[in-house]
Amino acid sequence: MSVSLYDKFVSAFDDLTQERRPDRVAVAVSGGSDSMALLHLMAQYSARTGVFLQSVTVDHRLRKGAADEAEMVGRAAAKLGVPHHILGWDDWDGRGNLQSQARQARYDLIGQWAQDNQILHVALAHTLDDQAETVLMRLARGSGVDGLSGMHPMRQHGPVAWLRPLLWAKRQELRDYLTGIDQPWADDPSNTDDRFDRVKARQIMGLLADLGLTQDRLAQTASHMAQARYALEIATQDLARRIVTLRAGNVVFQQNDFLDAPGELRDRLLAHGLGWVSRQFYKPRYKALSQVVDAVRNGQQSVLHGALIIPKKGQIWITREFKAVSDLRCSTDQMWDNRWRVSGPNTNDHEIRALGETGLAQRPDWRDLQIPRNALISSPSIWHGSDLISAPIAGFVNNWTIKSIKSDNDFFTAIITH
């Protein structure tokens, strides 16, 4: 094995986890060369540091051979002494963008599996090649600073941190490493299917290199844009600390200050507020954000990203859209809407659900709370059948408490994404 390759990997991995070395890590392995190399590197890291390592593969069940490739990964992991798990995806209905839906399914399946197994760090095998292709595709779509900053080396989504410790490595370098240790890998036929944008980007890369637009140059552009993104995030955080308050899980802007802010900062803050309330990972598109701003200027409510935006008395309230949570129910020992936990009397037959119009009608003094009606009806409450037991946000406590899993300060710190 190339010592320098391992050393560079360790340096990158330690940089990503420098605040606290994790004691449990999972590595996502498709069976391709990149992820097989990461499996081996992570296995050596685990053996030298004592970090408990597991591996996981998603079988999308979309083509013949996928199950065999997952089993191949399992055999390789077993030789390394690494537990391996296979997760199946059966939800594609044949509509929409297959690659996009499959990618999101991988994140959802692996993320939930990681949480179920108390794993807070998942390593992904994206390389410099992937970074360059991503920048090129986003350039073609007219992306701004965030898009052109490429893939983040680390991205927090809920309790799970997704790590990319190989963004500096070229695919051929990893393949040479695997060949040197006699480790086979699988080549996914979709990687040569030019119906997909990423394959088109990969094919055109050779022509662009003649103009000096090489993989290294594109990755360098991503690095420069990441620095610009960080500067904008700092400015957005400063704006947030001046004009934002958090009330009962809702995000509240001072309207005039928000509308007077530079457009780039305003859109970033709006996107962050929407994601905070809806707990959605990806940001809305620029056009959709602009439509919300226009609606606010006209004093109109709007809906985006599972959130309701309410301009009211010089403020802008971002609250959960009732439609998004109207059918959401869970027991009182579970988390509701990925945001809320309750505590109170030890009961097994109560449940958490949105307060709704029925519950709000039982709180005739709700106007005294100075919280918009639509923010209250989408708030969590405790029920026993058709009986409202508690609605702390609406002022009806009855020995129960409701607490967000994130603190108010987390709202401001989460604006910085790396």
Side-chain angles (χ1 to χ4, degrees), residues 15-247:
D15 281 347
L16 294 179
T17 58
Q18 60 184 340
E19 292 185 3
R20 183 175 64 86
R21 174 177 287 176
D23 54 7
R24 301 166 67 87
V25 178
V27 55
V29 190
S30 67
S33 58
D34 304 342
S35 62
M36 290 298 287
L38 180 59
L39 171 63
H40 278 266
L41 293 167
M42 284 295 312
Q44 292 194 55
Y45 184 84
S46 172
R48 296 187 184 189
T49 63
V51 170
F52 179 61
L53 179 66
Q54 298 192 59
S55 57
V56 58
T57 301
V58 174
D59 178 3
H60 295 94
R61 296 172 181 163
L62 295 173
R63 59 180 176 80
K64 293 180 179 179
D68 292 338
E69 291 166 11
E71 293 295 337
M72 180 268 289
V73 173
R75 291 191 296 271
K79 289 181 180 179
L80 296 169
V82 177
H84 181 246
H85 308 267
I86 299 175
L87 309 177
W89 183 50
D90 302 294
D91 296 337
W92 191 52
D93 58 7
R95 295 179 294 180
N97 185 305
L98 173 57
Q99 284 205 326
S100 176
Q101 291 190 37
R103 180 175 59 253
Q104 187 59 49
R106 286 195 295 275
Y107 281 107
D108 292 343
L109 287 168
I110 295 174
Q112 188 58 58
W113 168 84
Q115 292 182 58
D116 292 344
N117 288 274
Q118 291 78 53
I119 297 171
L120 301 182
H121 295 79
V122 177
L124 305 172
H126 294 114
T127 64
L128 185 144
D129 302 59
D130 296 312
Q131 184 75 295
E133 293 159 9
T134 297
V135 173
L136 186 60
M137 288 188 297
R138 291 179 179 176
L139 186 64
R141 295 169 189 162
S143 295
V145 171
D146 284 17
L148 297 181
S149 66
M151 293 180 284
H152 293 235
M154 179 176 70
R155 181 49 86 61
Q156 190 79 32
H157 183 37
V160 177
W162 300 86
L163 311 176
R164 296 186 174 95
L166 291 180
L167 283 179
W168 51 270
K170 291 189 176 181
R171 180 166 296 121
Q172 190 58 52
E173 183 179 11
L174 298 178
R175 292 188 171 190
D176 291 344
Y177 160 58
L178 291 175
T179 300
I181 61 174
D182 198 28
Q183 172 62 61
W185 65 85
D187 285 316
D188 186 339
S190 67
N191 288 333
T192 57
D193 189 337
D194 59 14
R195 290 177 300 172
F196 300 123
D197 289 345
R198 185 167 291 275
V199 175
K200 294 176 182 177
R202 191 171 301 155
Q203 291 172 341
I204 203 172
M205 199 74 74
L207 296 176
L208 295 175
D210 293 338
L211 296 175
L213 201 59
T214 62
Q215 289 180 336
D216 290 308
R217 188 59 58 84
L218 286 166
Q220 184 183 55
T221 295
S223 178
H224 291 161
M225 287 296 180
Q227 294 177 51
R229 183 195 67 227
Y230 179 66
L232 289 168
E233 288 171 348
I234 292 290
T236 303
Q237 186 183 65
D238 180 65
L239 175 65
R241 292 192 188 280
R242 289 188 285 110
I243 75 168
V244 174
T245 55
L246 285 296
R247 286 201 60 193

